[in-house]
Amino acid sequence: MLKTVKFGGSSLASAEQFQKVKTIIERDAARRYVVVSAPGKRFPGDDKITDLLYRCQALRAQGLSFDAAFQKIAERFIGIRDGLGLNLCIEAELDEIRSRIEAGTTPDFAASRGEYLNAKLLSAYLGFPFLDAGEFIRFRDDGTFDDDATTVRAGILTAHERAVIPGFYGRQRSGAIHTFSRGGSDITGAITARLSESDVYENWTDVSGFLMTDPRIVPDAKVIETVTYSELRELSYMGASVLHEDSIFPVRKARIPIHVLNTNDPEASGTMIVPDSMATDKEHARPITGIAGRRGYTVITLTKDNLHNDLGFSYRLMGILARNGISAERMPSGIDTISLVIDDKRLIGRMDQLYHDIMIECSPDTVEIASCIALIASVGIGMVRNPGVAAKLFSALSEAEVNARLIDQDSNEMNIIVGVEQRDFERAVQAIYRAFA
Ligand code: ASP
């Protein structure tokens, strides 16, 4: 058994957190590759080291002093080192970073140093070798991740029996340090898991897994024990905040499960994200795995007698959308109607032209525009095998006196989408949750 483990910023924000991380790693000899974020917030309102590093670079670029921000960074790292009683001359590293910022380094280089120093500290604390991500994580010179150039370097990683690796960055062909987008240490962890052919990718955070729905709407929402990659994709697309989106692909392709765990509550079972083919009868027996939703949609409904016989109607409609640079989230249709569900942001400054083109080219009998719509996705691979899910969902909505303005089901029968007035959004999510939790 081999595990790649990634610890997020709050898991490594202080010396006390480092101690918890060491205990976790030492409890399981399979935890051999350790990917780290930069120190995050210790309490609400605290600074994230990455933000401070970006701030230093930006202040320097404007010709302003970055002393105060850099001082906070230095204090945090020195505080962790001293709190752990480590004999590591971090001051020399800090001086070097300071002079690189002084000399006008890039935002990417500056930001990457948070992960770099944190990995140095954890490597010394665990007694695992430090392996710089720049040695095997490669980017093209246009800044996109270079999968091929990274994969051929897998041997650099696997030559190490164990290692601590800084997340978030790699190198371009030119040698320059380049970062993923914010939260990108999740991606480094996923790539490391794939290259090392780990059996599991453990992602340690400060929550005990993914909740069945947004806790701001349902405060006692249950943790999801197991979710499949496809379910997770549907839920995160509809607004559930999960791991960095790009961190799913490397492990999904390699069929490696992700286990989301809590550093502050390591005994909690967390959430397992598994390839669809690894879902067991238990997951198939469960009608709904999670509920996610988003506000801010407009629904444009066109009606036309005999629309289903009007060959080319949908084709013309799609052409209008493409020409206006608008993509519709969903397009539920009936015998004489077709609706476009569009994210409000995509309609800004484009509504008049869209309406005009639809009237001229599609000549519908009526056009109805409903704004302030929220979409709610109820997702579960078990839906296919469990009859009556839709009936239960709609009776829950009707009991809560929520009017469903739109209903759509994915062709893979894994996702029922309901459009409701924004003011009914929370009530609708609560009603669906109560019906299925
Ligand atoms: N430290 C980086 C950030 O704050 C990357 C990460 O934590 O994953 O975005």
Side-chain angles (χ1 to χ4, degrees):
M1 174 68 96
L2 169 61
K3 294 181 179 175
T4 292
V5 293
K6 180 254 163 180
F7 290 89
S10 60
S11 300
L12 290 165
S14 64
E16 293 74 54
Q17 292 298 91
F18 267 66
Q19 284 158 357
K20 292 183 194 169
V21 167
K22 186 174 189 192
T23 307
I24 291 167
I25 292 170
E26 290 181 346
R27 201 177 295 155
D28 184 349
R31 295 181 173 133
R32 286 175 19 211
Y33 296 117
V34 184
V35 175
V36 306
S37 282
K41 295 185 182 191
R42 293 160 294 183
F43 44 83
D46 193 17
D47 291 301
K48 283 178 103 176
I49 291 294
T50 310
D51 294 336
L52 290 171
L53 286 161
Y54 277 124
R55 197 182 308 157
C56 288
Q57 191 280 336
L59 286 167
R60 175 67 193 90
Q62 293 163 50
L64 301 169
S65 160
F66 60 92
D67 285 351
F70 198 83
Q71 185 62 24
K72 287 187 183 173
I73 297 169
E75 277 167 12
R76 182 82 80 87
F77 282 114
I78 291 170
I80 295 174
R81 186 217 33 210
D82 293 347
L84 298 174
L86 291 173
N87 186 13
L88 184 76
C89 182
I90 203 128
E91 287 81 356
E93 300 269 14
L94 285 163
D95 283 350
E96 163 73 14
I97 295 166
R98 193 178 204 301
S99 7
R100 291 286 296 264
I101 297 175
E102 190 65 62
T105 191
T106 59
D108 283 21
F109 178 83
S112 73
R113 296 305 88 183
E115 271 68 15
Y116 171 84
L117 286 178
N118 231 18
K120 285 266 169 170
L121 284 169
L122 189 64
S123 140
Y125 187 46
L126 292 176
F128 282 21
F130 168 86
L131 172 62
D132 198 328
E135 304 237 353
F136 66 100
I137 304 272
R138 288 298 153 115
F139 291 89
R140 298 185 191 88
D141 285 338
D142 66 3
T144 53
F145 172 61
D146 191 338
D147 201 354
D148 294 338
T150 301
T151 304
V152 295
R153 287 176 168 76
I156 297 175
L157 171 70
T158 54
H160 294 75
E161 175 79 5
R162 32 185 110 254
V164 178
I165 301 150
F168 193 35
Y169 72 91
R171 267 186 203 285
Q172 289 177 320
R173 214 165 297 164
S174 64
I177 292 286
H178 189 79
T179 62
F180 291 108
S181 56
R182 295 299 305 263
S185 299
D186 280 346
I187 311 175
T188 313
I191 295 167
T192 303
R194 178 170 65 79
L195 297 181
S196 61
E197 298 180 13
S198 287
D199 298 287
V200 183
Y201 168 31
E202 288 183 349
N203 194 298
W204 291 83
T205 62
D206 54 6
V207 290
S208 297
F210 300 144
L211 299 177
M212 203 174 146
T213 195
D214 188 339
R216 286 167 300 188
I217 303 177
V218 178
D220 58 348
K222 286 190 199 156
V223 171
I224 305 176
E225 262 176 55
T226 309
V227 60
T228 69
Y229 278 114
S230 313
E231 289 174 325
L232 188 72
R233 180 147 172 72
E234 301 278 347
L235 289 167
S236 51
Y237 184 73
M238 282 304 290
S241 77
V242 289
L243 305 175
H244 192 298
E245 215 188 316
D246 295 339
S247 69
I248 305 294
F249 296 107
V251 272
R252 182 177 189 170
K253 218 160 84 189
R255 299 174 37 79
I256 299 171
I258 306 179
H259 197 176
V260 178
L261 289 152
N262 187 350
T263 303
N264 302 321
D265 185 9
E267 301 308 324
S269 51
T271 299
M272 201 74 175
I273 308 165
V274 297
D276 297 34
S277 57
M278 276 165 69
T280 63
D281 285 351
K282 199 167 155 211
E283 284 84 54
H284 286 290
R286 171 187 65 189
I288 283 185
T289 306
I291 306 152
R294 282 212 305 234
R295 294 180 164 85
Y297 290 95
T298 293
V299 180
I300 305 174
T301 303
L302 317 180
T303 54
K304 188 167 183 175
D305 275 347
N306 263 328
L307 187 145
H308 63 295
N309 282 331
D310 182 346
L311 286 178
F313 187 93
S314 311
Y315 176 75
R316 292 196 297 279
L317 196 55
M318 301 286 251
I320 294 169
L321 288 172
R323 221 176 37 239
N324 284 280
I326 298 169
S327 68
E329 297 285 323
R330 322 200 62 89
M331 286 181 67
S333 61
I335 306 171
D336 296 325
T337 66
I338 186 161
S339 297
L340 304 172
V341 182
I342 302 173
D343 189 327
D344 285 346
K345 290 193 281 301
R346 299 187 202 271
L347 283 173
I348 296 169
R350 295 182 171 140
M351 190 62 191
D352 291 348
Q353 186 64 44
L354 178 68
Y355 183 79
H356 170 268
D357 292 354
I358 289 175
M359 295 314 275
I360 300 291
E361 292 172 48
C362 297
S363 357
D365 296 338
T366 64
V367 178
E368 196 189 308
I369 299 174
S371 50
C372 300
I373 297 291
L375 293 188
I376 300 167
S378 302
V379 175
I381 50 163
M383 231 174 242
V384 189
R385 294 207 198 158
N386 289 281
V389 175
K392 194 167 167 187
L393 193 151
F394 292 111
S395 70
L397 289 178
S398 105
E399 272 165 35
E401 296 180 5
V402 173
N403 181 20
R405 297 288 306 261
L406 169 133
I407 299 162
D408 197 13
Q409 182 168 28
D410 268 2
S411 45
N412 58 12
E413 271 196 73
M414 201 175 64
N415 190 358
I416 298 177
I417 302 272
V418 183
V420 301
E421 309 261 349
Q422 276 177 184
R423 59 169 187 267
D424 292 338
F425 176 57
E426 306 210 333
R427 203 149 34 93
V429 172
Q430 286 156 356
I432 300 172
Y433 178 83
R434 274 197 304 273
F436 291 97

